[in-house]
Amino acid sequence: MAELPLPELDPLSDRAVFRQIADHVREAIERGALHEGDKIPSEAQLMQHYGVARMTIRNALQVLQSEGLTVAEHGRGVFVRSRPPVRRLASDRFARRHRERGKAAFIVETEEAGGKPSVDSIKVSEAAAPSDVAERLELAGGEHVIVRSRRYLINGQPVETAVSYLPSSIAQGTQIEQPDSGPGGIYARLEELGFRLDRFVEEIRSRMPFREEVRALKLAPGVPVFHLIRTAYAADGRPVEVCDTVMSSDAYVLSYELPAR
Amino acid sequence: MAELPLPELDPLSDRAVFRQIADHVREAIERGALHEGDKIPSEAQLMQHYGVARMTIRNALQVLQSEGLTVAEHGRGVFVRSRPPVRRLASDRFARRHRERGKAAFIVETEEAGGKPSVDSIKVSEAAAPSDVAERLELAGGEHVIVRSRRYLINGQPVETAVSYLPSSIAQGTQIEQPDSGPGGIYARLEELGFRLDRFVEEIRSRMPFREEVRALKLAPGVPVFHLIRTAYAADGRPVEVCDTVMSSDAYVLSYELPAR
DNA sequence: AAGGCAAACTCCTCTAGTCGAGTAGGTGTG
DNA sequence: CACACCTACTCGACTAGAGGAGTTTGCCTT
């Protein structure tokens, strides 16, 4: 507490006390008086400093937490949140020249950035296509799809979950149905099957994560997710895959190139 | 209350009471028992139903609010949040054929979707380039830029703020310095000045809004924003504009096309 | 020196109230 | 009939406690 001089409350302000306290701590973080990982004063210390009830302090801390500025650790304290290394997704990441190197894009990129990539929770099944997937794959009602779901991690930290849907008429009986889809991933397999990939369309949304997503991605409170739906089209214009991925928003910067023509 | 049957608490569960209550209400919303704009039971009603203290109910409601599922209105009640109409940004939105129609992309798109577009808070100034902008514009240190900031609204609802930066060496003395940048917007002006636009690069981040952004975009609590930085390149490869925009994430779906070649 | 244990400290959940301020609806007066 | 006012109901802010559970630290035993 001695090390962190916080202002006093302004009794004339009509700004709520808990907001004033949140403002003070936020400013301390923003001006660099508190760094990533630093512990902020405990609830008891803040109570004493401001002379208010504990719930008021907790309300203030709650504000910061929902802004994603801090994380509370039970029994340890409240800390300034540190951000994971950011992964930049370039718009050429699915270029064939990358795919032909025989490794999936995720592995290559992560290793190049000096991280240890891994993939877990791989599950493959077959089911009727959900309606939004059926629509994107231009499937008739009730047609089945192969569903591949998995989770991507960097240095053991989960950063992304992905679920791919491929028409059973294409993928059934191929290596795509195996947990290990082989070198270059499912896009390489699709090309081997004669579906020369032409283009991808990605739709991006941003929202707060659901509870399962918070768990699967070990998200800090107040961190939104990117929800990205990619549809892969073969050279004849036929959609051959839909990939539904959820990414921790503070682990990613997405980058795209648009033509002006 | 009578109309909305909520389950009882599970006394054996080790899930916190306020989380169980939040779960109940969330499920009611998700299964459609409560629709957009519906009022959820008041704090007093929920207290009675569950037999818990008011703070516990408030904690539960806080969870839903921070998930963006509900909004509280002082003196009226807590309501299921209704989402504004979504604007889809297609990857060809800056194609020259659109620009040549003489209207800015935003106006055309919004009118086509049956909305009333408007732009306000237009401010133009000149200043030293911030370092990240200078980097993207490949400017030498200290070089000046023309700064154009504005806010976009649909049916009077703010959906996006944008700040454009153009090198003073290009834009000074042109209509770009006027609040009304003329038909087709600044991209049309740049082409008239001989900078044939070639491509754009967009970087997309997602995060929780700052306080000023909550105000400017009238954001509901718990709604993240897209932070998009677009750099426009002329045919000779020279960057000619950086546009920094913040968009309400529930008013937008971004869409991009990627080549597979 | 190593290991076990207890105390101190941390945040988490919850109770039971107070006062305040915004909203909506009904009632009574002009 | 129109308007002002009152009242009941809503959420917002805050107080002042309780017991619980996870973490750290240092002391004491072995």
Side-chain angles (χ1 to χ4, degrees):
Chain A
M1 201 61 194
E3 334 78 32
L4 183 70
L6 287 171
E8 296 299 317
L9 293 175
D10 175 1
L12 301 177
S13 166
D14 55 358
R15 189 162 177 77
V17 171
F18 77 91
R19 290 188 201 283
Q20 288 189 50
I21 297 174
D23 292 346
H24 293 171
V25 179
R26 189 188 304 106
E27 278 153 23
I29 293 172
E30 278 166 5
R31 73 163 182 270
L34 287 167
H35 301 89
E36 290 198 353
D38 282 3
K39 187 164 175 307
I40 73 172
S42 74
E43 296 176 358
Q45 286 172 316
L46 289 169
M47 277 171 73
Q48 237 229 314
H49 176 79
Y50 287 109
V52 299
R54 175 125 179 280
M55 284 305 293
T56 307
I57 298 295
R58 284 185 63 76
N59 269 332
L61 296 179
Q62 164 83 37
V63 169
L64 298 174
Q65 183 145 337
S66 81
E67 289 172 350
L69 286 173
T70 61
V71 252
E73 291 184 35
H74 192 165
R76 297 195 58 228
V78 179
F79 301 86
V80 179
R81 210 159 73 78
S82 57
R83 297 169 187 285
V86 166
R87 194 160 100 88
R88 302 182 78 89
L89 295 189
S91 57
D92 69 346
R93 66 189 185 278
F94 290 117
R96 185 165 292 113
R97 65 176 184 282
H98 294 174
R99 199 153 56 244
E100 283 166 352
R101 283 188 285 178
K103 284 186 170 180
F106 176 77
I107 309 287
V108 177
E109 279 175 37
T110 305
E111 282 173 349
E112 275 173 3
K116 275 194 185 165
S118 54
V119 184
D120 71 2
S121 314
I122 301 177
K123 288 191 205 78
V124 186
S125 63
E126 185 171 4
S131 64
D132 58 321
V133 170
E135 199 177 310
R136 289 190 175 83
L137 286 176
E138 298 169 13
L139 296 180
E143 223 175 304
H144 274 215
V145 285
I146 303 296
V147 183
R148 285 187 61 91
S149 68
R150 66 275 190 196
R151 183 172 74 156
Y152 294 98
L153 304 91
I154 297 180
N155 302 330
Q157 270 251 332
V159 293
E160 175 178 349
T161 63
V163 184
S164 284
Y165 302 88
L166 298 101
S168 289
S169 55
I170 292 178
Q172 205 167 39
T174 72
Q175 196 172 0
I176 293 172
E177 272 192 310
Q178 303 305 313
D180 178 0
S181 60
I186 47 185
Y187 292 145
R189 294 296 83 68
L190 280 169
E191 298 222 312
E192 287 165 9
L193 289 167
F195 297 96
R196 190 168 172 82
L197 296 177
D198 181 44
R199 63 195 182 90
F200 301 92
V201 171
E202 297 196 337
E203 287 169 59
I204 308 166
R205 291 172 176 75
S206 163
R207 57 169 170 76
M208 293 312 286
F210 305 135
R211 254 190 307 123
E212 320 86 71
E213 295 168 341
V214 170
R215 225 186 10 251
L217 296 175
K218 295 219 172 75
L219 293 170
V223 176
V225 290
F226 280 118
H227 181 188
L228 190 153
I229 302 173
R230 178 173 53 248
T231 308
Y233 292 88
D236 61 359
R238 178 177 176 186
V240 292
E241 187 227 24
V242 166
C243 183
D244 187 305
T245 88
V246 175
M247 302 179 285
S248 169
S249 71
D250 56 17
Y252 282 92
V253 177
L254 308 180
S255 174
Y256 294 93
E257 189 171 321
L258 308 178
R261 42 178 158 77
Chain B
M1 201 61 193
E3 334 79 33
L4 183 71
L6 286 170
E8 295 300 317
L9 293 175
D10 175 2
L12 301 176
S13 166
D14 53 0
R15 190 162 176 78
V17 172
F18 76 92
R19 289 188 201 282
Q20 288 188 50
I21 297 174
D23 291 347
H24 294 170
V25 178
R26 189 188 305 106
E27 277 153 24
I29 294 172
E30 277 165 6
R31 74 164 182 271
L34 287 168
H35 301 90
E36 289 197 354
D38 282 3
K39 189 165 175 303
I40 74 171
S42 74
E43 295 177 358
Q45 287 173 316
L46 289 170
M47 279 171 72
Q48 236 230 314
H49 176 80
Y50 286 109
V52 299
R54 174 134 176 264
M55 284 304 296
T56 306
I57 298 296
R58 285 183 63 78
N59 268 333
L61 296 180
Q62 165 82 37
V63 168
L64 298 175
Q65 183 144 339
S66 82
E67 288 172 348
L69 286 173
T70 60
V71 255
E73 291 183 36
H74 192 166
R76 297 195 58 228
V78 180
F79 300 85
V80 179
R81 212 160 69 80
S82 57
R83 294 166 192 285
V86 167
R87 195 160 99 89
R88 301 182 78 92
L89 295 190
S91 56
D92 69 346
R93 67 188 184 280
F94 291 118
R96 184 164 293 112
R97 63 174 184 284
H98 293 173
R99 201 154 53 244
E100 282 166 352
R101 283 190 284 177
K103 284 187 174 181
F106 176 76
I107 309 288
V108 176
E109 278 177 36
T110 305
E111 282 174 349
E112 275 172 3
K116 273 194 187 167
S118 54
V119 184
D120 71 2
S121 314
I122 301 177
K123 289 192 205 75
V124 186
S125 64
E126 185 169 6
S131 65
D132 59 321
V133 170
E135 200 175 307
R136 290 191 175 83
L137 286 176
E138 298 169 15
L139 296 179
E143 225 175 303
H144 274 214
V145 286
I146 303 295
V147 183
R148 285 187 61 92
S149 68
R150 66 276 189 196
R151 185 172 73 156
Y152 293 98
L153 305 92
I154 298 179
N155 302 332
Q157 271 250 333
V159 293
E160 176 178 347
T161 62
V163 184
S164 284
Y165 301 88
L166 298 102
S168 288
S169 56
I170 290 177
Q172 205 168 38
T174 71
Q175 197 174 359
I176 293 171
E177 271 192 310
Q178 303 305 315
D180 178 1
S181 60
I186 49 185
Y187 293 146
R189 294 295 84 68
L190 281 169
E191 299 221 311
E192 286 166 9
L193 289 167
F195 297 96
R196 192 168 171 81
L197 295 177
D198 182 43
R199 62 196 183 92
F200 302 91
V201 171
E202 297 196 336
E203 287 169 58
I204 309 167
R205 290 172 176 78
S206 162
R207 55 170 171 75
M208 293 311 286
F210 304 135
R211 259 187 302 123
E212 321 86 72
E213 294 168 342
V214 171
R215 231 191 358 258
L217 295 175
K218 295 220 172 78
L219 293 170
V223 177
V225 290
F226 282 118
H227 182 186
L228 191 153
I229 302 173
R230 177 174 54 247
T231 308
Y233 292 89
D236 60 0
R238 177 176 177 188
V240 292
E241 186 228 22
V242 166
C243 183
D244 186 304
T245 88
V246 175
M247 301 179 286
S248 169
S249 71
D250 56 17
Y252 283 92
V253 177
L254 309 180
S255 174
Y256 294 92
E257 189 170 320
L258 307 177
R261 41 178 160 78

